[in-house]
Amino acid sequence: MITRTRTSWENISNLRRRTLTELEQPEHFRVTVGMATCGISAGADLTFEAIRQEAERNDLQDISLEITGCIGLCSFEPIVEIYEKGKEKVSYVKVDPVKAIAIVRQHLIGGEPVEEFTLRGFLREQHEKKQREAEAHSYLSHKLEPVTTTELDSRSKDLVIEDESEESDLAGLPEHFIDLPFYKKQKRQVLRNCGYINPERIDEAIAVGAYAALKRVLTEMSAQAVIDCISDSGLRGRGGAGFPTGIKWSFAAREKAEEKYFICNADEGDPGAFMDRSILEGDPHAVLEAMIIGGYAIGASKGYIYVRAEYPTAVKRLNIAIEQARELGLLGDHIMASDFSFDIELRLGAGAFVCGEETALIASIEGGRGMPRNKPPFPAAHGLFGKPTIINNVETLANIPAIILNGSQWFRTIGTESSPGTKVFALGGKVEHTGLLEVPMGITLREVIFDIGGGCPDNKKFKAVQTGGPSGGCITENKLDLEVDFDTLKAAGSMMGSGGLIVMDEDNCMVDIARFYTEFTVDESCGQCVPCREGTKRMLEILERITGGHAEMDDLDLLEELGEHLQVSSLCALGQTAANPVLSTLRQFRDEYETHIRDKQCPSHVCKNLLGYIITANCKGCTKCARICPVHAISGKPREIHEIDLDVCIRCGLCIENCAFNAIERR
Amino acid sequence: MCQPKQIAVDDPRFLELDTFLKKLQGEKGIAMIALQKAQQLFGYLPLEVHKHISAFTGISVAELYGVSSFYSQFLLEAEGKHRISVCMGTACYVKGSQKVLDKLCELLNIKVGEVSSDGLFSITAARCIGCCGLAPVIMIDEEVYANIVDLNELEQILDSYRSKEAAAVTVSVASADNKGEAEDLA
């Protein structure tokens, strides 16, 4: 049993003074390893262990080795950073155990950073590799032409000049992550502590200001003042719909009831989104603090965090954070020796997307099937166990402490008039730099995808970006300059959603994407109301007919009509928005749908049944394809052009992969 | 829900489940927590386990089954020894996870949700596991394999589990007392 000691603010602020200097200017080395789920997947746990063991072997006792959350740049993981008093922070990227041991020996013992493993060293190596490739390319293209001596001279001069420019280029290579283009346009407000503090140590969280807002609330503010502050800030729910948080709180505060509940919705089910996971794994105390403040504002004494079971690391860190907060008297009876009591319990989801919907989430915490119900009554009046309940999303909550501390007007200086603040996005799909980023509202999608994300890799052409997951829609090139906020995205036929941004390039088939999302909603529909249960299934059937090559043109009208019916007649948001991916792609890529149906072709060569394979005149008759074809669809005599029988062919693509002469094409 | 291998009534895991359920007495809405604990203990939720929880808590088997059949995380049938989850989140999907899934099904000669004939593997199509930056990814038990661009890697990955298993069998046959292990493989 943990003994719950009451701690006054003095003890906590002492903790704060002591550790802040330790974090920023540590007496000895402070080594942090990025250990969010993404970092661990990239091998950060092995890196951490290698550093720990090597330090132990060398009897390095005075270094502090800490885990930390995600700094957002997935492609550079595992990331190790070293802080030292009086020196600039050194950032190492892609640190495997071998590099880790070298870093311990040379940097921690020898005092000299291992230049080649640092961010800058890595970028230099990439730069040089590109240069070598370019040189090899120009050499090859010149090789066949006769060259005069004067030409050679001038070419070598070019090389010299290039060398100079290389020097100046290298001097401009960033040393810190914040200097990378990926971070230039970001404003890390919610994510400010992720990748900096150890999320499993409450003293580090307190050092950077955690629970200071709670102190102000408990000592200086009335419940109404807290609600007014949040209302004035204009904060809107980050879970997708964008409902004003302050107004929501005021609804529950108005209700008279013995018991009220405050729930944090951490059931991030949107495929391709991991904002909430990163916040919970990197800065769990921000969420706990906000929940206590919210509980105070609406008069609740009990809070629940409903978190996906698929996020074991987040669950573990939340449990640790809750225990530590209880030990310090920040949770439990008489928080900070005040009259206010509040405690938080964790509830695990079990893999149902619909539980992200408020009333379904409540049903799930109550232990039943997670099925939504009609609103009103809204949860603020009639929620968990029939009591007034507020449900806020993780990212929404993570904004609260800073608003309390800096004031509502400060918050309004960030973002747009109707959507103040920042938004965290998970950028994924066909984009050079995938990762987690936070930008002020009002930034354009073009800036996010091209300036921050670096555009599509391999010089592929950008086609669309999907926002809002299975409830959202696609945004095409011509709308990329819209300023992102809740209202503009909605007007553009999509929605903000929780913040997943999936970039698609020319190789992605939009009909297939619509089919993918519809398959998802068919799976995740709770089955309670007919429009959603049957409607999504019928939509999927039509889409499968289209991708399978059996559809008629009339099917498009049917699809549209069905989608519109779903929007107006489904019970909950899942059904109401389930048709969005279909309707949005149908609106913007109707020609692609038509090509599928009319010409029985998939322009992006994705839909298997519509792919034709053809052997071109490049065929040398080597017979390799005929031998490896699993269904013997290819025939031909040696040294003669082969043929594919498309009626037998299963479109597995094995022949294309194995042809040494690039003689087989998809049509 | 019928299982060829029944769980014995006196299985010690039932005692552990009881201890856990006792602690929950008096709390509201415990069906899910109880089922989650039971699955953690047994690996899946056969009818006997439903009945046991029902007898202890007073929640009807029908209600429990309603909950366990609703959520995708609850398993009503036993799985293979190693669970392969192919991430079918959007980021992985646009980077070709369907091909990865197809290839795995082909290699193991099973469909999604089935167990391979040697009992070693089962395949599930997972929702986003939150490593979108490393797409496409698969997860075998707790281990994540990132950036599966070359489909030939998959055979090697499966082989690494097969050879580990073969080594374990030799050991267990040699010691001849590890019944559970041999049973699992049978």
Side-chain angles (χ1 to χ4, degrees), chain A residues 57-73:
Chain A
R57 250 198 301 280
N58 291 288
D59 213 22
L60 292 180
Q61 277 157 1
D62 40 12
I63 66 159
S64 70
L65 175 62
E66 306 286 354
I67 63 164
T68 184
C70 169
I71 69 149
L73 205 55

Side-chain angles (χ1 to χ4, degrees), chain A residues 270-271 353 466-473 495-498 500 502 517 580-581, chain B residues 90:
Chain A
D270 181 353
F353 176 68
Q466 224 280 350
T467 69
S471 311
M495 67 185 286
M496 176 74 84
S498 55
I502 308 285
Y517 278 118
N580 286 0
Chain B
T90 321

Side-chain angles (χ1 to χ4, degrees), chain A residues 41 271-272 274 277 308-309 347-351 364 366-370 385 429-430 434 512 515-517 520 523-524, chain B residues 27-29 31-33 36 66-67 69-73 88-91 93-95 127-128 130-134 144:
Chain A
S41 310
F274 52 97
R277 174 180 63 72
R308 292 181 83 193
R347 284 295 171 96
L348 299 193
S364 185
E366 287 172 351
R369 291 164 74 93
F385 304 119
K430 303 285 186 64
T434 53
D512 182 61
R515 190 201 55 79
F516 168 80
Y517 278 118
F520 179 88
D523 264 8
E524 295 298 342
Chain B
E27 280 202 41
K28 287 182 275 189
M32 243 173 94
I33 310 175
Q36 274 165 339
V67 174
S69 58
F70 183 84
Y71 296 96
S72 62
Q73 200 197 27
M88 294 294 272
T90 321
Y93 186 77
V94 301
K95 286 199 170 176
R127 294 286 176 237
C128 186
C131 317
C132 307
L134 309 166
V144 175

